[in-house]
Amino acid sequence: MDAPSPPPTQTLTPANDGPPISEKGQAALLTLARLIGRQIAREEFARRMAAANAETDDTSA
């Protein structure tokens, strides 16, 4: 088995260790997240409706 690697010589900085964003920035981010979530929900609903309609069309033939 390989020997364990030595600990890193540099300290690691977390990716989210930046300056905090403003309230306006947070509001914009929240709005964007909601819009993306709604779009995903619309697309998923359309996929499920198409699948349900395809099953109905197959059984009525």
Side-chain angles (χ1 to χ4, degrees):
M1 191 153 81
D2 295 335
S5 59
T9 56
Q10 298 175 350
T11 58
L12 299 176
T13 305
N16 62 351
D17 193 28
I21 61 173
S22 66
E23 285 185 31
K24 191 174 181 179
Q26 287 180 352
L29 223 96
L30 184 59
T31 300
L32 182 61
R34 284 183 180 144
L35 290 171
I36 292 170
R38 288 177 184 163
Q39 182 63 34
I40 291 170
R42 277 189 218 103
E43 292 170 0
E44 181 63 22
F45 180 77
R47 274 193 293 273
R48 290 183 183 198
M49 289 302 292
N53 289 337
E55 288 177 9
T56 304
D57 292 343
D58 291 345
T59 56
S60 64

